[in-house]
Structures are given as structure tokens and as C-alpha cells.
């Protein structure tokens, strides 16, 4: 499938099964995979449709969908070993979606031999798309057209950080400003980071469907995603200790150094 065809697929699926349920979910359409981990009928139906289209186009590719993985734990290992694979996050930011927040997204990434080569993020309620191709840059598509994105230079006065670790909110890494909460959706977080609304984000969890799309958006725009131990991120690394997304390699190094010396953060 051409890059624009995949984006059209995500838009069509959102129009068919996600958008009609926005702020209109019935009680029976919201479920818990485990305590506090929500899934909706929109998540499940969207993933089925996206997976079917990708499988038809790429019958030999391994498709790692968040909801499919919930019922097939070995799928993530088949994905990590695959020559050609896709990740699918049908509604990234499900809690936001359930609570009526526009901050949710549909995300897909493509990997070849363990490297991200294409990535798509569609924010249906914001009507914004972010697409990246290895070697071809990161692009924002909206009603006004398309433009290539480059992470802007951080403002003077120190790096502005966010974190998904709620117990870290308000705490400061050594030498940096106190962190605030992310937008609670990687499909919102990474575009915000690429567009300069934060300078770094510290993540506690690192599921491929959450981070592979954003990793390519970030790297193609001049930023960097790596582990809290200072290593570059790999889509095949299934159990990193945590992740740091930063607007530049220098900012990444500064944050990792601050993490290493901030003994009060656990």
C-alpha cells in the first residue's frame, strides 16, 4: 500500500467505527482488560478492520495489534523476530476517548528487519495527520495542506519535560524544571514534542504499538528516542527500563544524565 493509502485507511476506519462513538459510548461498549486498563468496542472493531486491510496487502507480514496481543501473548515475540511487520494501535489514548477528550489517535508503524520505515498517526477529532518515512522526513497534514516538520530549538531557560509516571509529576530531574503530565496518548505526545510543545518526555512503559510510530516521527524531525539507560531505541527491544523522547540528541543526553544523578526519583 502506498503511504497515502494507509493514511486513508486510518481515516476511513475512524469514520466508520471510532468517531460515531465519540462521546456516545454505551455502557456495554466499555470493558476492562485488567483493572484500570480500558478497551472499547471501537478499539476492537477498528483493529480488526486495519489488520484485515494490511493482511490483504502484505500477507507475509506480522501484524502486532494491541488488542490482538491481549489474547495472544506470543504475538509480540513473533513481531520482534519478523522480517516485515506492522504495529497497530486502533485507539491510542483509550481513557481519553472514554472520558470524551479529543486527545486520542489511530497509529500504525511499519518495520523492516527491526527498523521503523514508515509511521502514521491520525488524530480524528483534531483532524490532524502526522506521517514519517525513513529518509523522507516527518510531515504534518491538515486542512491547510502539508508541511515538513523539524523539531524547533528549545526556548531559553531550561528543558521543559513531561512524564507518564504520575508519581513524578511536579518533581524535577537534577538541573531541570519540574515535570508535568503528558497528554496521556503517545499519538498526541510525539506530535506535540516534534512541534516543540515540550522538550522531552520520560515514559515508564514501552509497548511497540505505543512508541514505534513516534520514534520515527521524532528521528526524522531531528529528535531522538532512547532508553533511560542512554541506549538508542529499537522496535525489537520489548523490555526497556523506560524511555526518554527528546527533541535533539543533546537534549536526550542531558535528560539521561539528569536521570542518572536524580537518586530521589524511583
Amino acid at each position: 500500500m502506498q503511504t497515502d493509502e494507509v493514511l486513508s485507511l486510518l481515516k476511513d476506519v475512524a469514520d466508520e467505527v471510532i468517531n460515531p462513538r465519540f462521546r456516545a459510548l454505551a455502557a456495554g461498549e466499555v470493558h476492562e482488560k485488567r483493572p484500570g486498563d480500558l478497551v472499547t468496542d471501537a478499539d476492537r472493531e477498528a483493529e480488526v478492520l486495519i489488520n484485515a486491510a494490511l493482511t490483504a496487502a502484505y500477507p507475509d507480514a506480522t501484524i502486532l495489534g494491541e488488542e490482538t496481543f491481549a489474547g495472544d501473548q506470543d504475538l509480540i515475540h513473533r513481531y520482534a523476530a519478523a522480517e516485515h511487520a506492522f504495529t497497530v494501535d486502533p485507539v491510542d489514548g483509550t481513557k481519553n476517548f472514554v472520558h470524551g477528550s479529543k486527545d486520542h489517535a489511530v497509529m500504525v508503524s511499519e518495520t523492516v528487519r527491526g527498523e521503523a520505515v514508515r509511521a502514521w498517526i491520525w488524530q480524528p477529532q483534531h483532524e490532524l495527520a502526522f506521517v514519517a518515512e525513513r529518509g523522507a522526513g516527518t510531515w504534518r497534514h491538515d486542512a491547510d495542506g502539508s508541511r515538513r516538520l523539524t523539531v524547533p530549538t528549545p526556548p531559553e531557560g531550561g528543558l521543559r519535560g513531561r512524564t507518564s509516571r504520575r508519581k513524578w509529576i511536579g518533581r524535577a530531574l537534577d538541573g531541570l524544571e519540574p515535570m508535568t503530565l503528558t497528554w496521556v496518548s503517545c499519538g498526541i505526545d510525539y506530535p506535540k514534542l516534534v512541534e516543540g510543545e515540550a522538550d522531552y518526555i520520560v515514559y515508564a512503559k514501552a509497548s511497540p504499538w505505543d512508541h514505534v510510530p513516534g520514534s520515527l516521527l521524532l528521528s526524522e524531525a531531528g529528535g531522538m528516542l532512547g532508553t533511560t539507560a542512554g541506549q538508542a531505541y529499537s522496535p525489537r527491544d520489548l523490555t526497556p527500563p523506560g524511555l526518554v523522547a527528546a527533541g535533539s540528541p543533546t537534549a536526550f543526553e542531558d535528560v539521561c544524565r539528569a536521570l542518572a544523578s536524580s537518586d530521589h526519583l524511583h
Side-chain angles (χ1 to χ4, degrees), residues 154-165:
E156 294 184 7
L159 299 177
R160 299 159 299 156
R162 291 181 177 253
T163 182
S164 67
R165 302 187 182 197

Side-chain angles (χ1 to χ4, degrees), residues 10-60:
L10 303 192
K11 291 180 178 181
D12 290 345
V13 168
D15 284 342
E16 182 175 347
V17 300
I18 299 172
N19 296 343
R21 291 185 169 101
F22 181 59
R23 296 177 179 169
L25 282 163
E29 293 181 314
V30 182
H31 318 275
E32 279 190 321
K33 289 184 281 190
R34 51 187 177 274
D37 188 5
L38 301 181
V39 62
T40 72
D41 288 356
D43 295 72
R44 291 171 173 168
E45 292 176 18
E47 185 167 310
V48 168
L49 293 171
I50 295 169
N51 287 7
L54 293 176
T55 298
Y58 303 101
D60 295 327

Side-chain angles (χ1 to χ4, degrees), residues 33-209:
K33 289 184 281 190
R34 51 187 177 274
D37 188 5
L38 301 181
V39 62
T40 72
D41 288 356
D43 295 72
R44 291 171 173 168
E45 292 176 18
E47 185 167 310
V48 168
L49 293 171
I50 295 169
N51 287 7
L54 293 176
T55 298
Y58 303 101
D60 295 327
T62 298
I63 301 175
L64 174 62
E66 179 178 6
E67 306 313 328
T68 308
F69 165 72
D72 180 3
Q73 300 287 301
D74 189 57
L75 176 59
I76 199 165
H77 300 291
R78 299 198 300 275
Y79 155 81
E83 179 82 2
H84 186 201
F86 290 87
T87 66
V88 176
D89 195 338
V91 182
D92 181 70
T94 297
K95 284 186 178 180
N96 288 352
F97 178 70
V98 169
H99 294 141
S101 167
K102 293 183 177 182
D103 286 347
H104 57 271
V106 188
M107 302 198 298
V108 169
S109 71
E110 180 182 20
T111 62
V112 175
R113 292 182 291 278
E115 289 193 4
V117 296
R118 292 193 292 176
W120 301 262
I121 295 177
W122 171 237
Q123 300 172 357
Q125 293 302 317
H126 296 300
E127 297 187 339
L128 292 175
F130 297 85
V131 178
E133 292 189 67
R134 183 166 293 282
T138 295
W139 294 80
R140 170 187 164 126
H141 306 277
D142 57 28
D144 296 324
S146 303
R147 61 184 175 91
R148 188 168 181 171
L149 298 177
T150 301
V151 181
T153 302
E156 294 184 7
L159 299 177
R160 299 159 299 156
R162 291 181 177 253
T163 182
S164 67
R165 302 187 182 197
R166 292 179 182 270
K167 66 181 181 180
W168 283 16
I169 296 168
R171 299 188 186 184
L173 298 176
D174 286 358
L176 302 178
E177 296 296 316
M179 291 180 285
T180 58
L181 182 65
T182 67
W183 290 268
V184 201
S185 165
C186 288
I188 303 295
D189 293 350
Y190 279 99
K192 294 282 192 184
L193 183 58
V194 167
E195 294 193 302
E197 295 196 32
D199 301 314
Y200 72 90
I201 302 174
V202 181
Y203 287 104
K205 296 181 180 179
S207 300
W209 51 81

